[in-house]
PDB file of all heavy atoms in Angstrom:
ATOM      1  N   GLU N 157       0.804  -1.215   0.000  1.00  0.00           N
ATOM      2  CA  GLU N 157       0.000   0.000   0.000  1.00  0.00           C
ATOM      3  C   GLU N 157       0.836   1.263   0.000  1.00  0.00           C
ATOM      4  O   GLU N 157       0.415   2.286  -0.539  1.00  0.00           O
ATOM      5  CB  GLU N 157      -0.947   0.007   1.207  1.00  0.00           C
ATOM      6  CG  GLU N 157      -2.030  -1.063   1.118  1.00  0.00           C
ATOM      7  CD  GLU N 157      -3.083  -0.888   2.182  1.00  0.00           C
ATOM      8  OE1 GLU N 157      -2.839  -0.103   3.132  1.00  0.00           O
ATOM      9  OE2 GLU N 157      -4.144  -1.516   2.063  1.00  0.00           O
ATOM     10  N   SER N 158       2.011   1.208   0.642  1.00  0.00           N
ATOM     11  CA  SER N 158       2.843   2.410   0.655  1.00  0.00           C
ATOM     12  C   SER N 158       4.279   2.053   1.003  1.00  0.00           C
ATOM     13  O   SER N 158       4.535   1.017   1.602  1.00  0.00           O
ATOM     14  CB  SER N 158       2.311   3.433   1.661  1.00  0.00           C
ATOM     15  OG  SER N 158       2.433   2.926   2.981  1.00  0.00           O
ATOM     16  N   VAL N 159       5.187   2.910   0.598  1.00  0.00           N
ATOM     17  CA  VAL N 159       6.603   2.772   0.908  1.00  0.00           C
ATOM     18  C   VAL N 159       7.116   4.128   1.363  1.00  0.00           C
ATOM     19  O   VAL N 159       6.874   5.138   0.695  1.00  0.00           O
ATOM     20  CB  VAL N 159       7.430   2.296  -0.307  1.00  0.00           C
ATOM     21  CG1 VAL N 159       8.911   2.234   0.045  1.00  0.00           C
ATOM     22  CG2 VAL N 159       6.943   0.944  -0.795  1.00  0.00           C
ATOM     23  N   SER N 160       7.791   4.160   2.488  1.00  0.00           N
ATOM     24  CA  SER N 160       8.420   5.404   2.938  1.00  0.00           C
ATOM     25  C   SER N 160       9.757   5.068   3.556  1.00  0.00           C
ATOM     26  O   SER N 160       9.992   3.938   3.982  1.00  0.00           O
ATOM     27  CB  SER N 160       7.531   6.133   3.950  1.00  0.00           C
ATOM     28  OG  SER N 160       7.364   5.340   5.119  1.00  0.00           O
ATOM     29  N   ARG N 161      10.626   6.034   3.606  1.00  0.00           N
ATOM     30  CA  ARG N 161      11.944   5.798   4.178  1.00  0.00           C
ATOM     31  C   ARG N 161      12.492   7.091   4.756  1.00  0.00           C
ATOM     32  O   ARG N 161      12.052   8.192   4.407  1.00  0.00           O
ATOM     33  CB  ARG N 161      12.911   5.248   3.139  1.00  0.00           C
ATOM     34  CG  ARG N 161      13.249   6.225   2.028  1.00  0.00           C
ATOM     35  CD  ARG N 161      14.208   5.598   1.047  1.00  0.00           C
ATOM     36  NE  ARG N 161      14.546   6.520  -0.032  1.00  0.00           N
ATOM     37  CZ  ARG N 161      15.378   6.227  -1.018  1.00  0.00           C
ATOM     38  NH1 ARG N 161      15.933   5.022  -1.067  1.00  0.00           N
ATOM     39  NH2 ARG N 161      15.648   7.120  -1.947  1.00  0.00           N
ATOM     40  N   SER N 162      13.479   6.936   5.641  1.00  0.00           N
ATOM     41  CA  SER N 162      14.160   8.094   6.212  1.00  0.00           C
ATOM     42  C   SER N 162      15.574   7.693   6.571  1.00  0.00           C
ATOM     43  O   SER N 162      15.885   6.505   6.698  1.00  0.00           O
ATOM     44  CB  SER N 162      13.416   8.603   7.460  1.00  0.00           C
ATOM     45  OG  SER N 162      13.411   7.604   8.463  1.00  0.00           O
ATOM     46  N   ARG N 163      16.442   8.677   6.748  1.00  0.00           N
ATOM     47  CA  ARG N 163      17.826   8.430   7.123  1.00  0.00           C
ATOM     48  C   ARG N 163      18.028   8.713   8.606  1.00  0.00           C
ATOM     49  O   ARG N 163      17.468   9.666   9.141  1.00  0.00           O
ATOM     50  CB  ARG N 163      18.780   9.316   6.308  1.00  0.00           C
ATOM     51  CG  ARG N 163      18.831   8.972   4.831  1.00  0.00           C
ATOM     52  CD  ARG N 163      19.751   9.934   4.109  1.00  0.00           C
ATOM     53  NE  ARG N 163      19.814   9.627   2.695  1.00  0.00           N
ATOM     54  CZ  ARG N 163      20.708   8.808   2.140  1.00  0.00           C
ATOM     55  NH1 ARG N 163      21.597   8.199   2.911  1.00  0.00           N
ATOM     56  NH2 ARG N 163      20.708   8.580   0.840  1.00  0.00           N
ATOM     57  N   ILE N 164      18.808   7.878   9.257  1.00  0.00           N
ATOM     58  CA  ILE N 164      19.183   8.109  10.646  1.00  0.00           C
ATOM     59  C   ILE N 164      20.678   8.381  10.683  1.00  0.00           C
ATOM     60  O   ILE N 164      21.486   7.520  10.323  1.00  0.00           O
ATOM     61  CB  ILE N 164      18.849   6.888  11.533  1.00  0.00           C
ATOM     62  CG1 ILE N 164      17.343   6.599  11.479  1.00  0.00           C
ATOM     63  CG2 ILE N 164      19.296   7.131  12.968  1.00  0.00           C
ATOM     64  CD1 ILE N 164      16.943   5.343  12.220  1.00  0.00           C
ATOM     65  N   LEU N 165      21.054   9.579  11.042  1.00  0.00           N
ATOM     66  CA  LEU N 165      22.457   9.967  11.076  1.00  0.00           C
ATOM     67  C   LEU N 165      23.125   9.401  12.325  1.00  0.00           C
ATOM     68  O   LEU N 165      22.683   9.649  13.445  1.00  0.00           O
ATOM     69  CB  LEU N 165      22.583  11.487  11.060  1.00  0.00           C
ATOM     70  CG  LEU N 165      24.007  12.043  11.121  1.00  0.00           C
ATOM     71  CD1 LEU N 165      24.786  11.624   9.883  1.00  0.00           C
ATOM     72  CD2 LEU N 165      23.980  13.563  11.260  1.00  0.00           C
ATOM     73  N   ILE N 166      24.173   8.622  12.132  1.00  0.00           N
ATOM     74  CA  ILE N 166      24.951   8.081  13.244  1.00  0.00           C
ATOM     75  C   ILE N 166      26.289   8.811  13.269  1.00  0.00           C
ATOM     76  O   ILE N 166      27.102   8.669  12.352  1.00  0.00           O
ATOM     77  CB  ILE N 166      25.181   6.563  13.092  1.00  0.00           C
ATOM     78  CG1 ILE N 166      23.851   5.834  12.916  1.00  0.00           C
ATOM     79  CG2 ILE N 166      25.957   6.022  14.265  1.00  0.00           C
ATOM     80  CD1 ILE N 166      22.934   5.917  14.110  1.00  0.00           C
ATOM     81  N   ASP N 167      26.512   9.623  14.279  1.00  0.00           N
ATOM     82  CA  ASP N 167      27.774  10.354  14.374  1.00  0.00           C
ATOM     83  C   ASP N 167      28.219  10.423  15.835  1.00  0.00           C
ATOM     84  O   ASP N 167      27.675   9.736  16.701  1.00  0.00           O
ATOM     85  CB  ASP N 167      27.657  11.755  13.751  1.00  0.00           C
ATOM     86  CG  ASP N 167      26.588  12.606  14.428  1.00  0.00           C
ATOM     87  OD1 ASP N 167      26.202  12.285  15.570  1.00  0.00           O
ATOM     88  OD2 ASP N 167      26.136  13.589  13.808  1.00  0.00           O
ATOM     89  N   SER N 168      29.209  11.277  16.117  1.00  0.00           N
ATOM     90  CA  SER N 168      29.829  11.318  17.443  1.00  0.00           C
ATOM     91  C   SER N 168      28.861  11.733  18.547  1.00  0.00           C
ATOM     92  O   SER N 168      29.121  11.482  19.726  1.00  0.00           O
ATOM     93  CB  SER N 168      31.027  12.276  17.425  1.00  0.00           C
ATOM     94  OG  SER N 168      30.607  13.583  17.064  1.00  0.00           O
ATOM     95  N   ARG N 169      27.740  12.341  18.196  1.00  0.00           N
ATOM     96  CA  ARG N 169      26.791  12.752  19.227  1.00  0.00           C
ATOM     97  C   ARG N 169      26.230  11.568  20.001  1.00  0.00           C
ATOM     98  O   ARG N 169      25.841  11.684  21.157  1.00  0.00           O
ATOM     99  CB  ARG N 169      25.652  13.549  18.588  1.00  0.00           C
ATOM    100  CG  ARG N 169      26.077  14.947  18.124  1.00  0.00           C
ATOM    101  CD  ARG N 169      24.925  15.641  17.423  1.00  0.00           C
ATOM    102  NE  ARG N 169      24.576  14.945  16.195  1.00  0.00           N
ATOM    103  CZ  ARG N 169      23.517  15.272  15.438  1.00  0.00           C
ATOM    104  NH1 ARG N 169      22.720  16.244  15.818  1.00  0.00           N
ATOM    105  NH2 ARG N 169      23.275  14.612  14.332  1.00  0.00           N
ATOM    106  N   TYR N 170      26.206  10.397  19.349  1.00  0.00           N
ATOM    107  CA  TYR N 170      25.675   9.224  20.033  1.00  0.00           C
ATOM    108  C   TYR N 170      26.640   8.702  21.095  1.00  0.00           C
ATOM    109  O   TYR N 170      26.268   7.894  21.945  1.00  0.00           O
ATOM    110  CB  TYR N 170      25.354   8.128  19.015  1.00  0.00           C
ATOM    111  CG  TYR N 170      24.086   8.413  18.247  1.00  0.00           C
ATOM    112  CD1 TYR N 170      24.105   9.189  17.108  1.00  0.00           C
ATOM    113  CD2 TYR N 170      22.860   7.917  18.680  1.00  0.00           C
ATOM    114  CE1 TYR N 170      22.938   9.468  16.404  1.00  0.00           C
ATOM    115  CE2 TYR N 170      21.690   8.189  17.987  1.00  0.00           C
ATOM    116  CZ  TYR N 170      21.731   8.967  16.851  1.00  0.00           C
ATOM    117  OH  TYR N 170      20.581   9.237  16.168  1.00  0.00           O
ATOM    118  N   ASP N 171      27.897   9.129  21.045  1.00  0.00           N
ATOM    119  CA  ASP N 171      28.882   8.718  22.043  1.00  0.00           C
ATOM    120  C   ASP N 171      28.978   9.713  23.199  1.00  0.00           C
ATOM    121  O   ASP N 171      29.675   9.459  24.180  1.00  0.00           O
ATOM    122  CB  ASP N 171      30.263   8.583  21.393  1.00  0.00           C
ATOM    123  CG  ASP N 171      30.273   7.486  20.334  1.00  0.00           C
ATOM    124  OD1 ASP N 171      29.570   6.485  20.544  1.00  0.00           O
ATOM    125  OD2 ASP N 171      30.978   7.649  19.327  1.00  0.00           O
ATOM    126  N   ALA N 172      28.319  10.848  23.081  1.00  0.00           N
ATOM    127  CA  ALA N 172      28.470  11.905  24.084  1.00  0.00           C
ATOM    128  C   ALA N 172      27.824  11.541  25.418  1.00  0.00           C
ATOM    129  O   ALA N 172      28.334  11.906  26.485  1.00  0.00           O
ATOM    130  CB  ALA N 172      27.869  13.205  23.558  1.00  0.00           C
ATOM    131  N   THR N 173      26.723  10.817  25.377  1.00  0.00           N
ATOM    132  CA  THR N 173      26.019  10.438  26.616  1.00  0.00           C
ATOM    133  C   THR N 173      25.748   8.937  26.606  1.00  0.00           C
ATOM    134  O   THR N 173      24.617   8.499  26.388  1.00  0.00           O
ATOM    135  CB  THR N 173      24.700  11.217  26.743  1.00  0.00           C
ATOM    136  OG1 THR N 173      23.913  10.994  25.567  1.00  0.00           O
ATOM    137  CG2 THR N 173      24.949  12.703  26.905  1.00  0.00           C
ATOM    138  N   PRO N 174      26.786   8.141  26.822  1.00  0.00           N
ATOM    139  CA  PRO N 174      26.600   6.684  26.782  1.00  0.00           C
ATOM    140  C   PRO N 174      25.693   6.201  27.902  1.00  0.00           C
ATOM    141  O   PRO N 174      25.630   6.808  28.974  1.00  0.00           O
ATOM    142  CB  PRO N 174      28.019   6.137  26.948  1.00  0.00           C
ATOM    143  CG  PRO N 174      28.770   7.238  27.634  1.00  0.00           C
ATOM    144  CD  PRO N 174      28.178   8.516  27.144  1.00  0.00           C
ATOM    145  N   ASP N 175      25.018   5.107  27.630  1.00  0.00           N
ATOM    146  CA  ASP N 175      24.125   4.499  28.612  1.00  0.00           C
ATOM    147  C   ASP N 175      24.964   3.688  29.599  1.00  0.00           C
ATOM    148  O   ASP N 175      25.526   2.652  29.256  1.00  0.00           O
ATOM    149  CB  ASP N 175      23.118   3.607  27.889  1.00  0.00           C
ATOM    150  CG  ASP N 175      22.050   3.057  28.823  1.00  0.00           C
ATOM    151  OD1 ASP N 175      22.407   2.618  29.934  1.00  0.00           O
ATOM    152  OD2 ASP N 175      20.866   3.067  28.437  1.00  0.00           O
ATOM    153  N   GLY N 176      25.053   4.160  30.822  1.00  0.00           N
ATOM    154  CA  GLY N 176      25.884   3.496  31.826  1.00  0.00           C
ATOM    155  C   GLY N 176      25.429   2.088  32.126  1.00  0.00           C
ATOM    156  O   GLY N 176      26.256   1.184  32.327  1.00  0.00           O
ATOM    157  N   GLY N 177      24.119   1.876  32.169  1.00  0.00           N
ATOM    158  CA  GLY N 177      23.601   0.542  32.449  1.00  0.00           C
ATOM    159  C   GLY N 177      23.964  -0.449  31.371  1.00  0.00           C
ATOM    160  O   GLY N 177      24.356  -1.585  31.662  1.00  0.00           O
ATOM    161  N   ALA N 178      23.851  -0.009  30.118  1.00  0.00           N
ATOM    162  CA  ALA N 178      24.203  -0.887  28.997  1.00  0.00           C
ATOM    163  C   ALA N 178      25.691  -1.202  29.014  1.00  0.00           C
ATOM    164  O   ALA N 178      26.104  -2.340  28.779  1.00  0.00           O
ATOM    165  CB  ALA N 178      23.807  -0.233  27.676  1.00  0.00           C
ATOM    166  N   ALA N 179      26.517  -0.177  29.304  1.00  0.00           N
ATOM    167  CA  ALA N 179      27.968  -0.390  29.350  1.00  0.00           C
ATOM    168  C   ALA N 179      28.341  -1.373  30.445  1.00  0.00           C
ATOM    169  O   ALA N 179      29.210  -2.238  30.264  1.00  0.00           O
ATOM    170  CB  ALA N 179      28.680   0.940  29.562  1.00  0.00           C
ATOM    171  N   ALA N 180      27.676  -1.275  31.587  1.00  0.00           N
ATOM    172  CA  ALA N 180      27.958  -2.191  32.699  1.00  0.00           C
ATOM    173  C   ALA N 180      27.547  -3.614  32.361  1.00  0.00           C
ATOM    174  O   ALA N 180      28.226  -4.581  32.746  1.00  0.00           O
ATOM    175  CB  ALA N 180      27.235  -1.710  33.962  1.00  0.00           C
ATOM    176  N   PHE N 181      26.433  -3.739  31.648  1.00  0.00           N
ATOM    177  CA  PHE N 181      25.958  -5.070  31.256  1.00  0.00           C
ATOM    178  C   PHE N 181      26.926  -5.738  30.284  1.00  0.00           C
ATOM    179  O   PHE N 181      27.213  -6.936  30.373  1.00  0.00           O
ATOM    180  CB  PHE N 181      24.572  -4.944  30.617  1.00  0.00           C
ATOM    181  CG  PHE N 181      24.026  -6.237  30.090  1.00  0.00           C
ATOM    182  CD1 PHE N 181      23.432  -7.167  30.939  1.00  0.00           C
ATOM    183  CD2 PHE N 181      24.108  -6.549  28.736  1.00  0.00           C
ATOM    184  CE1 PHE N 181      22.939  -8.369  30.463  1.00  0.00           C
ATOM    185  CE2 PHE N 181      23.619  -7.743  28.247  1.00  0.00           C
ATOM    186  CZ  PHE N 181      23.025  -8.651  29.110  1.00  0.00           C
ATOM    187  N   ILE N 182      27.459  -4.936  29.362  1.00  0.00           N
ATOM    188  CA  ILE N 182      28.343  -5.475  28.321  1.00  0.00           C
ATOM    189  C   ILE N 182      29.743  -5.747  28.846  1.00  0.00           C
ATOM    190  O   ILE N 182      30.440  -6.643  28.347  1.00  0.00           O
ATOM    191  CB  ILE N 182      28.400  -4.485  27.128  1.00  0.00           C
ATOM    192  CG1 ILE N 182      27.040  -4.441  26.420  1.00  0.00           C
ATOM    193  CG2 ILE N 182      29.503  -4.854  26.146  1.00  0.00           C
ATOM    194  CD1 ILE N 182      26.932  -3.351  25.375  1.00  0.00           C
ATOM    195  N   ALA N 183      30.180  -5.015  29.857  1.00  0.00           N
ATOM    196  CA  ALA N 183      31.581  -5.049  30.306  1.00  0.00           C
ATOM    197  C   ALA N 183      32.147  -6.449  30.522  1.00  0.00           C
ATOM    198  O   ALA N 183      33.231  -6.768  30.009  1.00  0.00           O
ATOM    199  CB  ALA N 183      31.740  -4.210  31.564  1.00  0.00           C
ATOM    200  N   PRO N 184      31.483  -7.356  31.277  1.00  0.00           N
ATOM    201  CA  PRO N 184      32.094  -8.678  31.490  1.00  0.00           C
ATOM    202  C   PRO N 184      32.219  -9.495  30.215  1.00  0.00           C
ATOM    203  O   PRO N 184      33.167 -10.257  30.053  1.00  0.00           O
ATOM    204  CB  PRO N 184      31.140  -9.339  32.494  1.00  0.00           C
ATOM    205  CG  PRO N 184      29.856  -8.588  32.395  1.00  0.00           C
ATOM    206  CD  PRO N 184      30.223  -7.190  32.032  1.00  0.00           C
ATOM    207  N   PHE N 185      31.259  -9.321  29.301  1.00  0.00           N
ATOM    208  CA  PHE N 185      31.326 -10.040  28.024  1.00  0.00           C
ATOM    209  C   PHE N 185      32.449  -9.473  27.159  1.00  0.00           C
ATOM    210  O   PHE N 185      33.188 -10.214  26.503  1.00  0.00           O
ATOM    211  CB  PHE N 185      29.989  -9.941  27.291  1.00  0.00           C
ATOM    212  CG  PHE N 185      28.827 -10.480  28.079  1.00  0.00           C
ATOM    213  CD1 PHE N 185      27.980  -9.630  28.746  1.00  0.00           C
ATOM    214  CD2 PHE N 185      28.597 -11.853  28.167  1.00  0.00           C
ATOM    215  CE1 PHE N 185      26.898 -10.115  29.482  1.00  0.00           C
ATOM    216  CE2 PHE N 185      27.537 -12.354  28.892  1.00  0.00           C
ATOM    217  CZ  PHE N 185      26.679 -11.479  29.558  1.00  0.00           C
ATOM    218  N   LYS N 186      32.577  -8.135  27.173  1.00  0.00           N
ATOM    219  CA  LYS N 186      33.625  -7.485  26.380  1.00  0.00           C
ATOM    220  C   LYS N 186      34.999  -7.936  26.848  1.00  0.00           C
ATOM    221  O   LYS N 186      35.889  -8.197  26.035  1.00  0.00           O
ATOM    222  CB  LYS N 186      33.502  -5.971  26.491  1.00  0.00           C
ATOM    223  CG  LYS N 186      34.513  -5.201  25.640  1.00  0.00           C
ATOM    224  CD  LYS N 186      34.295  -3.708  25.756  1.00  0.00           C
ATOM    225  CE  LYS N 186      35.225  -2.951  24.833  1.00  0.00           C
ATOM    226  NZ  LYS N 186      36.652  -3.204  25.093  1.00  0.00           N
ATOM    227  N   GLN N 187      35.178  -8.044  28.158  1.00  0.00           N
ATOM    228  CA  GLN N 187      36.466  -8.467  28.699  1.00  0.00           C
ATOM    229  C   GLN N 187      36.824  -9.878  28.227  1.00  0.00           C
ATOM    230  O   GLN N 187      37.967 -10.148  27.851  1.00  0.00           O
ATOM    231  CB  GLN N 187      36.434  -8.421  30.218  1.00  0.00           C
ATOM    232  CG  GLN N 187      37.764  -8.779  30.877  1.00  0.00           C
ATOM    233  CD  GLN N 187      37.704  -8.674  32.385  1.00  0.00           C
ATOM    234  OE1 GLN N 187      36.648  -8.438  32.958  1.00  0.00           O
ATOM    235  NE2 GLN N 187      38.843  -8.855  33.037  1.00  0.00           N
ATOM    236  N   LYS N 188      35.829 -10.751  28.215  1.00  0.00           N
ATOM    237  CA  LYS N 188      36.083 -12.123  27.780  1.00  0.00           C
ATOM    238  C   LYS N 188      36.389 -12.184  26.291  1.00  0.00           C
ATOM    239  O   LYS N 188      37.316 -12.881  25.859  1.00  0.00           O
ATOM    240  CB  LYS N 188      34.880 -13.007  28.103  1.00  0.00           C
ATOM    241  CG  LYS N 188      35.104 -14.478  27.804  1.00  0.00           C
ATOM    242  CD  LYS N 188      33.969 -15.341  28.335  1.00  0.00           C
ATOM    243  CE  LYS N 188      34.258 -16.826  28.087  1.00  0.00           C
ATOM    244  NZ  LYS N 188      33.169 -17.680  28.615  1.00  0.00           N
ATOM    245  N   VAL N 189      35.611 -11.443  25.493  1.00  0.00           N
ATOM    246  CA  VAL N 189      35.840 -11.423  24.047  1.00  0.00           C
ATOM    247  C   VAL N 189      37.214 -10.851  23.733  1.00  0.00           C
ATOM    248  O   VAL N 189      37.971 -11.391  22.915  1.00  0.00           O
ATOM    249  CB  VAL N 189      34.733 -10.614  23.338  1.00  0.00           C
ATOM    250  CG1 VAL N 189      35.106 -10.370  21.872  1.00  0.00           C
ATOM    251  CG2 VAL N 189      33.404 -11.340  23.427  1.00  0.00           C
ATOM    252  N   ASP N 190      37.561  -9.733  24.399  1.00  0.00           N
ATOM    253  CA  ASP N 190      38.858  -9.101  24.149  1.00  0.00           C
ATOM    254  C   ASP N 190      40.013 -10.035  24.503  1.00  0.00           C
ATOM    255  O   ASP N 190      41.054 -10.028  23.837  1.00  0.00           O
ATOM    256  CB  ASP N 190      38.982  -7.801  24.954  1.00  0.00           C
ATOM    257  CG  ASP N 190      38.103  -6.688  24.397  1.00  0.00           C
ATOM    258  OD1 ASP N 190      37.597  -6.853  23.271  1.00  0.00           O
ATOM    259  OD2 ASP N 190      37.936  -5.668  25.091  1.00  0.00           O
ATOM    260  N   SER N 191      39.842 -10.854  25.533  1.00  0.00           N
ATOM    261  CA  SER N 191      40.915 -11.763  25.934  1.00  0.00           C
ATOM    262  C   SER N 191      41.192 -12.811  24.861  1.00  0.00           C
ATOM    263  O   SER N 191      42.314 -13.303  24.735  1.00  0.00           O
ATOM    264  CB  SER N 191      40.559 -12.452  27.254  1.00  0.00           C
ATOM    265  OG  SER N 191      39.489 -13.375  27.077  1.00  0.00           O
ATOM    266  N   VAL N 192      40.164 -13.140  24.080  1.00  0.00           N
ATOM    267  CA  VAL N 192      40.324 -14.118  22.994  1.00  0.00           C
ATOM    268  C   VAL N 192      40.800 -13.449  21.717  1.00  0.00           C
ATOM    269  O   VAL N 192      41.681 -13.960  21.018  1.00  0.00           O
ATOM    270  CB  VAL N 192      38.986 -14.852  22.736  1.00  0.00           C
ATOM    271  CG1 VAL N 192      39.104 -15.766  21.518  1.00  0.00           C
ATOM    272  CG2 VAL N 192      38.573 -15.644  23.964  1.00  0.00           C
ATOM    273  N   MET N 193      40.238 -12.290  21.407  1.00  0.00           N
ATOM    274  CA  MET N 193      40.470 -11.648  20.116  1.00  0.00           C
ATOM    275  C   MET N 193      41.731 -10.792  20.060  1.00  0.00           C
ATOM    276  O   MET N 193      42.247 -10.536  18.980  1.00  0.00           O
ATOM    277  CB  MET N 193      39.264 -10.772  19.750  1.00  0.00           C
ATOM    278  CG  MET N 193      37.986 -11.553  19.563  1.00  0.00           C
ATOM    279  SD  MET N 193      38.118 -12.721  18.166  1.00  0.00           S
ATOM    280  CE  MET N 193      36.503 -13.492  18.255  1.00  0.00           C
ATOM    281  N   SER N 194      42.230 -10.340  21.199  1.00  0.00           N
ATOM    282  CA  SER N 194      43.300  -9.338  21.203  1.00  0.00           C
ATOM    283  C   SER N 194      44.722  -9.858  21.053  1.00  0.00           C
ATOM    284  O   SER N 194      45.611  -9.086  20.660  1.00  0.00           O
ATOM    285  CB  SER N 194      43.212  -8.494  22.485  1.00  0.00           C
ATOM    286  OG  SER N 194      41.996  -7.781  22.518  1.00  0.00           O
ATOM    287  N   PRO N 195      45.036 -11.122  21.388  1.00  0.00           N
ATOM    288  CA  PRO N 195      46.428 -11.554  21.265  1.00  0.00           C
ATOM    289  C   PRO N 195      46.990 -11.355  19.859  1.00  0.00           C
ATOM    290  O   PRO N 195      46.339 -11.661  18.860  1.00  0.00           O
ATOM    291  CB  PRO N 195      46.353 -13.047  21.620  1.00  0.00           C
ATOM    292  CG  PRO N 195      45.170 -13.161  22.508  1.00  0.00           C
ATOM    293  CD  PRO N 195      44.177 -12.170  21.972  1.00  0.00           C
ATOM    294  N   VAL N 196      48.201 -10.811  19.796  1.00  0.00           N
ATOM    295  CA  VAL N 196      48.866 -10.553  18.518  1.00  0.00           C
ATOM    296  C   VAL N 196      49.502 -11.849  18.019  1.00  0.00           C
ATOM    297  O   VAL N 196      50.195 -12.539  18.763  1.00  0.00           O
ATOM    298  CB  VAL N 196      49.931  -9.452  18.678  1.00  0.00           C
ATOM    299  CG1 VAL N 196      50.748  -9.296  17.401  1.00  0.00           C
ATOM    300  CG2 VAL N 196      49.268  -8.129  19.057  1.00  0.00           C
ATOM    301  N   VAL N 197      49.269 -12.174  16.748  1.00  0.00           N
ATOM    302  CA  VAL N 197      49.813 -13.405  16.164  1.00  0.00           C
ATOM    303  C   VAL N 197      50.940 -13.111  15.175  1.00  0.00           C
ATOM    304  O   VAL N 197      51.652 -14.027  14.748  1.00  0.00           O
ATOM    305  CB  VAL N 197      48.709 -14.233  15.476  1.00  0.00           C
ATOM    306  CG1 VAL N 197      47.649 -14.647  16.485  1.00  0.00           C
ATOM    307  CG2 VAL N 197      48.070 -13.473  14.312  1.00  0.00           C
ATOM    308  N   GLY N 198      51.112 -11.849  14.791  1.00  0.00           N
ATOM    309  CA  GLY N 198      52.164 -11.503  13.849  1.00  0.00           C
ATOM    310  C   GLY N 198      52.041 -10.058  13.420  1.00  0.00           C
ATOM    311  O   GLY N 198      51.247  -9.291  13.973  1.00  0.00           O
ATOM    312  N   ARG N 199      52.826  -9.694  12.400  1.00  0.00           N
ATOM    313  CA  ARG N 199      52.812  -8.327  11.878  1.00  0.00           C
ATOM    314  C   ARG N 199      52.795  -8.345  10.352  1.00  0.00           C
ATOM    315  O   ARG N 199      53.352  -9.264   9.739  1.00  0.00           O
ATOM    316  CB  ARG N 199      54.044  -7.543  12.354  1.00  0.00           C
ATOM    317  CG  ARG N 199      54.035  -7.159  13.820  1.00  0.00           C
ATOM    318  CD  ARG N 199      55.262  -6.336  14.172  1.00  0.00           C
ATOM    319  NE  ARG N 199      55.371  -5.125  13.371  1.00  0.00           N
ATOM    320  CZ  ARG N 199      54.721  -3.986  13.651  1.00  0.00           C
ATOM    321  NH1 ARG N 199      53.926  -3.920  14.702  1.00  0.00           N
ATOM    322  NH2 ARG N 199      54.879  -2.918  12.888  1.00  0.00           N
ATOM    323  N   THR N 200      52.181  -7.323   9.784  1.00  0.00           N
ATOM    324  CA  THR N 200      52.198  -7.158   8.333  1.00  0.00           C
ATOM    325  C   THR N 200      53.049  -5.945   7.971  1.00  0.00           C
ATOM    326  O   THR N 200      53.132  -4.975   8.732  1.00  0.00           O
ATOM    327  CB  THR N 200      50.778  -6.950   7.769  1.00  0.00           C
ATOM    328  OG1 THR N 200      50.166  -5.852   8.447  1.00  0.00           O
ATOM    329  CG2 THR N 200      49.932  -8.191   7.951  1.00  0.00           C
TER     330      THR N 200
END
């Protein structure tokens, strides 16, 4: 019946006031992921 669209601008303003609760929830998972993903295996 209809089609509409709009753009959502994602820029630095979204980082200005981070959600503390969301950051706290993610923190333990991020630490575990970083421990697996961060080790250096070589150089280019």
Side-chain angles (χ1 to χ4, degrees):
E157 292 190 347
S158 66
V159 177
S160 63
R161 66 180 180 179
S162 62
R163 292 178 180 269
I164 300 175
L165 179 64
I166 305 296
D167 60 19
S168 60
R169 288 176 295 174
Y170 284 86
D171 297 325
T173 56
D175 186 316
F181 176 80
I182 292 171
F185 302 100
K186 183 178 184 301
Q187 183 178 6
K188 185 171 183 179
V189 169
D190 288 347
S191 70
V192 174
M193 297 297 178
S194 297
V196 173
V197 299
R199 288 183 58 83
T200 55

